[in-house]
Amino acid sequence: MSRISSVFEQLKAQHKTALIPFVTAGDPDPQLTVPILHALAAAGADIIELGVPFSDPMADGPTIQRASERALKHHVGLKDVLALVAEFRKTNTATPIVLMGYANPVEHMGYEAFAKNAAAAGVDGVLTVDIPPEESTGVADVFAAYGVDMIFLLSPTTPAARINVVAQKASGFVYYVSLKGVTGSASLDLAEVASHIPAIREHCGLPVGVGFGIRDGETAHAIARFADAVVIGSRIVQEIENSPREKIIENLANFVRGIRVAIDTK
């Protein structure tokens, strides 16, 4: 059983919902990434999504775009991201790490080389926004051979037939994009989000994580009532962007602890 599957099994037994925060590797600089990862885990993160900086992040809003730009100023590339994960793994072997990014850096490294290097570094899953399940034939098999879960996105407009395709290709969990738009978008309709989850569960047995538009404890608590995981990205990246460097770790930890309490409060 993968680290991701194990975490979800443990949380299910405890009747708890996973908390999955997102940060971009190298933001605000590479020296802070590993301390940030440790702070997120200590504050209650069950799984951590680590963004791979990319020059054209099409699914991301302005906040995460700026995070990529800050990381790229420090020349943080895919090899650097894997090295940061490996450093994190020296003292944390329990918290799953999911890389989130785009196909270009992975293709440049080569899918098998990437899967091998990612597994060696301690990466547990990969979500590449622009590799849809229909184009993942061969890729998913390579990742599976190295024990790396391949995670796919579902959206409010995903039809049942495509959910079935995702269910056949995905592992670890599926990521439901809770609204039409990019990361950091507002106007989250909780009732509408909740109405889509049963259809996903009908066709897919994997845990369902919900992200995009979750910005506070109240919303996280509401999502946790029907999702297996709550994913928070832009709001956390804003803490990094708006905090003095010496306060980033403290502010992130306080925010994530607050979200953890909100999720766990039934």
Side-chain angles (χ1 to χ4, degrees), residues 115-139:
K116 180 179 179 180
N117 293 336
V123 171
D124 299 282
V126 177
L127 197 171
T128 43
V129 175
D130 48 352
I131 300 181
E134 296 86 354
E135 297 179 15
S136 68
T137 301
V139 179

Side-chain angles (χ1 to χ4, degrees), residues 30-81:
Q31 290 71 36
L32 266 185
T33 296
V34 173
I36 284 172
L37 296 179
H38 285 302
L40 294 175
D46 297 295
I47 298 169
I48 299 173
E49 276 192 354
L50 185 60
V52 178
F54 188 57
S55 56
D56 300 287
M58 69 184 82
D60 294 308
T63 298
I64 295 179
Q65 286 181 20
R66 290 193 297 271
S68 272
E69 290 168 1
R70 289 191 292 271
L72 290 172
K73 285 182 180 178
H74 294 279
H75 308 289
V76 176
L78 183 53
K79 290 182 180 179
D80 303 297
V81 176

Side-chain angles (χ1 to χ4, degrees), residues 7-9 14-15 42 44 46 50 54-55 61 65-66 80 82 85 88 93 107 131 163 185 214 219 235 242:
V7 163
F8 278 111
E9 284 292 324
Q14 299 167 15
H15 305 287
D46 297 295
L50 185 60
F54 188 57
S55 56
Q65 286 181 20
R66 290 193 297 271
D80 303 297
L82 296 179
V85 175
F88 174 72
T93 59
E107 289 186 353
I131 300 181
I163 296 175
S185 300
I214 303 170
T219 308
R235 180 62 183 82
N242 296 331

Side-chain angles (χ1 to χ4, degrees), residues 46-232:
D46 297 295
I47 298 169
I48 299 173
E49 276 192 354
L50 185 60
V52 178
F54 188 57
S55 56
D56 300 287
M58 69 184 82
D60 294 308
T63 298
I64 295 179
Q65 286 181 20
R66 290 193 297 271
S68 272
E69 290 168 1
R70 289 191 292 271
L72 290 172
K73 285 182 180 178
H74 294 279
H75 308 289
V76 176
L78 183 53
K79 290 182 180 179
D80 303 297
V81 176
L82 296 179
L84 291 169
V85 175
E87 182 66 25
F88 174 72
R89 282 282 172 247
K90 289 179 179 179
T91 49
N92 184 318
T93 59
T95 306
I97 296 288
V98 174
L99 298 188
M100 185 170 183
Y102 298 85
N104 187 279
V106 178
E107 289 186 353
H108 181 73
M109 182 177 287
Y111 287 112
E112 183 159 6
F114 166 74
K116 180 179 179 180
N117 293 336
V123 171
D124 299 282
V126 177
L127 197 171
T128 43
V129 175
D130 48 352
I131 300 181
E134 296 86 354
E135 297 179 15
S136 68
T137 301
V139 179
D141 294 337
V142 169
F143 285 10
Y146 287 94
V148 177
D149 286 325
M150 193 162 190
I151 297 158
F152 291 101
L153 298 171
L154 296 172
S155 77
T157 59
T158 303
R162 195 161 193 270
I163 296 175
N164 283 329
V165 174
V166 168
Q168 293 168 16
K169 300 283 188 178
S171 58
F173 67 97
V174 293
Y175 187 141
Y176 178 70
V177 176
S178 58
L179 43 78
K180 301 171 187 176
V182 295
T183 57
S185 300
S187 304
L188 186 61
D189 186 330
L190 292 171
E192 182 180 3
V193 176
S195 71
H196 286 279
I197 303 302
I200 296 173
R201 296 198 192 282
E202 181 181 347
H203 298 280
C204 181
L206 291 172
V208 180
V210 175
F212 284 44
I214 303 170
R215 306 186 61 79
D216 53 37
E218 181 181 359
T219 308
H221 173 79
I223 295 291
R225 294 173 63 187
F226 54 80
D228 299 299
V230 174
V231 186
I232 304 183

